[in-house]
């Protein structure tokens, strides 16, 4: 890692105490009252990197100073980089290239809606957070990491299909190469060595198939299914082990991406005595790591997610001509649906899980965690639940988990506190914080997605306001409560006094990519199917319409969507004045501007 200043007269320090001064702070650092820095560097310091230069300007004079910070493989490479960018001209070209990249990438889809808060987030900040922090930096102020999470960045990449689909493609193959021959995968790993952890977590590997289905359906790139990637070989986990940190070896075997996905799904077809998937050391909620620690606990949420993956992949297999796999997976999906309805339904909502000993979690019979939002949302999103039960489950979410007095959209209720249930380290969080009954935004967004999928437009937009950081930090009074950046999504929001409505960690959260999908697809209704752009908007009743500028490769489509009646069904689509019988837009890359008019009624 290196830092440089183009002015040869600069001085440096790597001592944070020197820079800030005794009892100093970044608001008033001592270094700004000094004419030079000491040059102190080395081990044993509270570290920082500070560079200072001084110069005098005559009237009308300009002077350009270039500061460079970066990283390289070795010192020789670092010096080559510094020589390249030390001149004002080369530094300016690099800065302009950065601006050009972000303008193009964030400009792939631009929305103009009646809600400025939606425009600010959807037209820049959400994708910027997803790309810069989640996909590239993989670290943040509140969570210093650097690793790839198998499920985490796969979910992030699914938000990039309109702006950077090739990054999604590349990441599918990257993740396939972190899968073991048995079908499970590293929960997280550090590049470039690949050292990471193998766990009993039960949903990681399934996201490879889920993301692959989405990528192929939206891009039409079936060729990626035939790209080969290696498998890993590593020591199997012992039954009593929660995780094993290791550097696995690349196995001699390899498989196509399609084969990797099948291996993942087959590994997930492990069920307990109720016919529900085994929970392992956590499903989506890592904090519930003790529910299935002995290998018998079952997850209702994972049942819904596995059903979704089976059905989606069966469609992909059928299109590929693999009828045997499609039929097998659909049979598994049907059996799983019956098990969920028989053993997952609690009377007014779906349960969360079964412990190893058969005790319930997420049931009215519990003292704590009587209801969990995640299985209710996925009852809708998976399409597995009968509509009447899905509606009842979501009504239970609205009445039990959407609180008044700033309590937000809680993940579960009541939170774990003094009861006998011990689902795992989630119980170590203060009630109302993070997963333990806080507003965990990743799950909250799934709730809003499910609400939109049910067609409850006004309620969906009201719930979105509980998550949108612009709405949460729009005034001095609200930001004094929220206390984090009002332009990036927070992982969670506290729901208990004295910190009610305070934001938890920001930047490094998968909620950013998921919120982009919520706004652009679930609510504003963009549906990309290879070269067909369809529209299924779910709009508030007071909106008359909105506009979209959509770039397809090098061609821009200016789309106007307006209400011509009381409903939200697309009744008419015209491209450049020509009626489209399919009520969709056939995208062509002819580099000519196109005008699309969409009517709803």
């Amino acid at each position: 890692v290196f830092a440089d200043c183009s002015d040869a007269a600069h001085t440096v320090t790597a001592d944070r105490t020197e820079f800030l001064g005794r009892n100093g702070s970044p608001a008033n650092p001592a270094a700004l009252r000094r004419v030079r820095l000491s040059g102190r560097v080395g081990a044993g310091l509270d570290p920082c990197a500070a560079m200072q230069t001084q110069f005098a300007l005559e009237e009308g004079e300009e002077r350009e100073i270039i500061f460079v910070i970066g990283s390289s493989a070795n010192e020789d490479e670092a010096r080559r980089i510094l020589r390249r960018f030390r001149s004002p001209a080369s530094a300016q070209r690099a800065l302009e290239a950065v601006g050009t990249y972000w303008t193009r990438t964030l400009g792939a889809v631009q929305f103009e809606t009646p809600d400025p808060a939606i425009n600010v987030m959807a037209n820049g900040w959400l994708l910027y957070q997803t790309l810069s922090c989640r996909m590239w930096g993989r670290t943040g102020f509140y969570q210093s990491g650097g690793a790839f999470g198998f499920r985490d960045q796969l979910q992030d990449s699914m938000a990039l299909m309109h702006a950077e689909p090739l990054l999604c493609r590349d990441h599918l193959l990257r993740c396939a190469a972190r899968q073991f021959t048995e079908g499970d995968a590293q929960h997280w790993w550090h590049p470039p060595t690949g050292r990471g952890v193998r766990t009993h977590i039960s949903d990681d590997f399934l996201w490879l198939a889920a993301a692959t289905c989405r990528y192929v359906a939206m891009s039409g790139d079936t060729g990626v299914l035939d790209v080969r990637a290696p498998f890993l070989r590593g020591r199997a986990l012992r039954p009593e082990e929660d995780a094993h940190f290791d550097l696995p070896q690349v196995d001699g075997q390899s498989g196509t991406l399609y084969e990797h996905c099948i291996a993942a799904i087959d590994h997930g077809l492990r069920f307990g005595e109720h016919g529900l998937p085994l929970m392992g050391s956590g499903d989506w909620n890592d904090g519930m790591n003790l529910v299935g620690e002995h290998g018998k606990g079952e997850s209702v949420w994972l049942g819904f997610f596995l059903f979704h993956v089976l059905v989606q992949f069966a469609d992909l297999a059928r299109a590929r001509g693999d009828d045997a796999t499609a039929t097998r997976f659909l049979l598994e999906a049907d059996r799983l649906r019956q098990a969920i309805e028989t053993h997952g339904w609690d009377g007014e909502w779906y349960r969360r899980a079964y412990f190893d000993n058969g005790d319930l979690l997420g049931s009215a019979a519990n003292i704590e965690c009587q209801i969990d939002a995640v299985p209710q949302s996925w009852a809708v999103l998976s399409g597995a639940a009968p509509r009447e039960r899905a509606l009842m489950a979501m009504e239970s979410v609205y009445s039990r988990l959407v609180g008044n007095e700033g309590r937000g959209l809680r993940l579960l209720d009541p939170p774990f506190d003094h009861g006998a249930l011990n689902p795992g380290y989630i119980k170590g969080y203060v009630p109302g914080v993070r997963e333990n009954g806080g507003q965990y935004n990743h799950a909250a967004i799934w709730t809003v997605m499910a609400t939109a999928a049910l067609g409850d437009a006004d309620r969906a937009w009201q719930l979105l306001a509980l998550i949108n950081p612009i709405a949460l930090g729009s005034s001095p009074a609200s930001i004094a409560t929220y206390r984090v950046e009002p332009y990036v999504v927070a992982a969670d929001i506290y729901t208990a006094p004295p910190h009610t409505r305070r934001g938890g960690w920001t930047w490094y959260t998968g909620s950013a990519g998921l919120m982009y999908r919520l706004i652009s697809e679930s609510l504003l209704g963009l549906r990309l199917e290879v070269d067909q752009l369809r529209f299924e908007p779910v709009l508030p009743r007071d909106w008359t319409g909105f506009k979209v500028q959509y770039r397809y490769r090098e061609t821009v489509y200016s789309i106007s969507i307006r209400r011509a009646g009381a409903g939200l069904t697309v009744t008419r689509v015209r491209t450049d004045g020509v009626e489209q019988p399919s009520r969709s837009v056939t995208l062509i890359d002819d580099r000519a501007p196109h005008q699309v008019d969409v009517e709803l009624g």
Side-chain angles (χ1 to χ4, degrees):
V1 176
F2 55 83
D4 180 64
C5 174
S6 62
D7 192 320
H10 67 264
T11 59
V12 304
T13 185
D15 184 352
R16 189 193 308 256
T17 302
E18 174 190 343
F19 182 82
L20 296 177
R22 183 179 180 183
N23 299 326
S25 73
N28 187 23
L32 296 189
R33 297 187 295 275
R34 298 178 55 166
V35 296
R36 61 181 292 109
L37 300 174
S38 68
R40 281 170 57 84
V41 298
L45 303 174
D46 183 11
C48 76
M51 313 188 81
Q52 182 190 59
T53 185
Q54 296 198 4
F55 53 89
L57 291 178
E58 300 295 335
E59 183 178 356
E61 184 183 3
E62 293 182 359
R63 185 165 179 182
E64 205 160 10
I65 307 293
I66 310 300
F67 290 91
V68 178
I69 185 169
S71 64
S72 61
N74 52 58
E75 184 175 333
D76 288 341
E77 182 183 342
R79 294 189 180 280
R80 286 195 297 271
I81 294 172
L82 292 175
R83 285 194 296 269
R84 176 183 173 191
F85 291 108
R86 187 170 280 170
S87 74
S90 59
Q92 185 63 39
R93 284 194 298 270
L95 187 60
E96 289 172 354
V98 170
T100 299
Y101 171 81
W102 284 115
T103 298
R104 175 177 173 79
T105 302
L106 303 182
V109 185
Q110 290 285 293
F111 298 100
E112 183 183 333
T113 79
D115 188 343
I118 295 298
N119 300 340
V120 169
M121 296 304 296
N123 290 339
W125 280 110
L126 291 173
L127 279 184
Y128 181 79
Q129 182 176 351
T130 301
L131 269 171
S132 65
C133 185
R134 293 288 296 180
M135 297 298 294
W136 294 337
R138 300 187 302 281
T139 192
F141 178 78
Y142 299 91
Q143 186 178 23
S144 298
F148 280 107
F150 195 90
R151 84 158 75 95
D152 294 346
Q153 275 73 37
L154 274 171
Q155 291 180 78
D156 296 328
S157 71
M158 293 166 78
L160 304 177
M161 284 304 301
H162 299 286
E164 282 279 23
L166 292 182
L167 286 182
C168 182
R169 185 187 200 273
D170 291 345
H171 193 64
L172 292 174
L173 299 173
R174 180 184 294 118
C175 288
R178 309 315 303 173
Q179 184 185 32
F180 293 97
T181 53
E182 294 84 352
D184 61 325
Q186 288 181 297
H187 184 54
W188 52 257
W189 74 93
H190 278 282
T193 64
R195 189 179 294 275
V197 293
R198 191 175 193 176
T199 71
H200 290 296
I201 287 176
S202 52
D203 74 313
D204 277 339
F205 42 88
L206 292 174
W207 287 100
L208 178 65
T212 296
C213 290
R214 175 175 166 87
Y215 172 77
V216 172
M218 294 181 70
S219 70
D221 178 12
T222 57
V224 72
L225 299 172
D226 296 313
V227 177
R228 302 191 73 81
F231 285 97
L232 295 179
R233 181 180 69 254
R235 177 177 73 75
L237 284 171
R238 291 186 283 269
E240 71 277 7
E241 275 187 307
D242 183 65
H244 176 59
F245 181 67
D246 196 10
L247 178 60
Q249 303 302 307
V250 175
D251 194 86
Q253 300 181 52
S254 69
T256 64
L257 177 60
Y258 184 76
E259 292 166 341
H260 276 271
C261 291
I262 291 177
I265 296 172
D266 282 339
H267 187 72
L269 298 177
R270 297 171 300 150
F271 305 100
E273 64 176 278
H274 299 96
L276 299 170
L278 294 177
M279 188 156 180
S281 54
D283 50 15
W284 167 84
N285 194 333
D286 296 351
M288 293 183 172
N289 57 302
L290 299 183
V291 173
E293 63 173 331
H294 300 304
K296 295 182 179 179
E298 300 165 85
S299 168
V300 177
W301 170 79
L302 187 58
F304 284 122
F305 181 56
L306 178 57
F307 176 91
H308 168 78
V309 172
L310 287 166
V311 171
Q312 295 293 311
F313 201 83
D315 287 344
L316 186 149
R318 190 84 69 194
R320 189 177 169 84
D322 186 358
D323 291 341
T325 296
T327 299
R328 180 166 68 91
F329 283 173
L330 288 177
L331 287 173
E332 290 284 357
D334 186 61
R335 187 204 59 74
L336 182 55
R337 187 209 304 261
Q338 295 179 44
I340 293 171
E341 292 309 308
T342 303
H343 300 290
W345 182 246
D346 198 61
E348 295 184 54
W349 57 80
Y350 286 95
R351 298 162 179 164
R352 182 61 177 85
Y354 284 85
F355 283 87
D356 287 311
N357 64 1
D359 287 349
L360 294 172
L361 179 63
S363 167
N366 296 128
I367 297 174
E368 299 170 343
C369 188
Q370 294 177 337
I371 180 172
D372 186 303
V374 176
Q376 322 315 325
S377 301
W378 274 86
V380 177
L381 297 175
S382 67
R387 183 170 175 83
E388 58 274 16
R389 281 191 172 181
L391 288 169
M392 187 183 299
M394 291 302 294
E395 284 299 329
S396 297
V397 169
Y398 306 140
S399 63
R400 296 288 302 268
L401 298 177
V402 181
N404 298 320
E405 300 177 0
R407 297 186 68 195
L409 208 174
R410 288 160 288 158
L411 175 59
L412 56 84
D413 188 72
F416 298 102
D417 194 2
H418 301 297
L421 288 179
N422 185 17
Y425 73 77
I426 184 177
K427 196 168 182 175
Y429 293 127
V430 175
V433 172
R434 293 190 59 74
E435 290 101 327
N436 193 16
Q439 178 175 305
Y440 202 74
N441 280 335
H442 200 284
I445 292 169
W446 277 339
T447 298
V448 186
M449 283 180 162
T451 303
L454 291 173
D456 194 345
D458 289 335
R459 179 178 269 161
W461 285 91
Q462 290 166 5
L463 293 176
L464 176 59
L466 299 176
I467 305 164
N468 191 329
I470 303 291
L472 293 165
S474 59
S475 68
S478 62
I479 203 66
T481 299
Y482 190 48
R483 297 185 67 176
V484 292
E485 303 95 327
Y487 45 86
V488 292
V489 184
D492 64 303
I493 299 172
Y494 304 162
T495 61
H499 303 301
T500 303
R501 304 310 293 155
R502 178 174 176 173
W505 78 36
T506 56
W507 281 105
Y508 195 63
T509 166
S511 301
L514 200 61
M515 183 182 283
Y516 184 77
R517 292 178 59 192
L518 166 65
I519 293 173
S520 62
E521 298 175 8
S522 299
L523 294 173
L524 298 182
L526 294 191
R527 298 285 189 273
L528 177 62
E529 301 169 7
V530 190
D531 63 349
Q532 296 293 309
L533 190 62
R534 304 184 185 279
F535 311 94
E536 298 177 13
V538 179
L539 305 182
R541 68 184 65 193
D542 58 341
W543 282 24
T544 59
F546 65 98
K547 295 180 180 179
V548 186
Q549 184 169 283
Y550 191 93
R551 191 184 69 241
Y552 176 69
R553 299 177 183 171
E554 300 301 323
T555 301
V556 174
Y557 287 79
S558 298
I559 305 167
S560 177
I561 300 173
R562 67 179 186 88
R563 273 189 154 125
L568 291 172
T569 302
V570 174
T571 58
R572 191 178 191 187
V573 174
R574 287 175 293 173
T575 302
D576 299 325
V578 178
E579 196 86 20
Q580 303 298 307
S582 63
R583 296 179 186 172
S584 65
V585 178
T586 300
L587 300 169
I588 55 174
D589 186 23
D590 60 1
R591 304 198 176 201
H594 296 281
Q595 177 64 45
V596 178
D597 296 290
V598 179
E599 292 184 2
L600 309 176

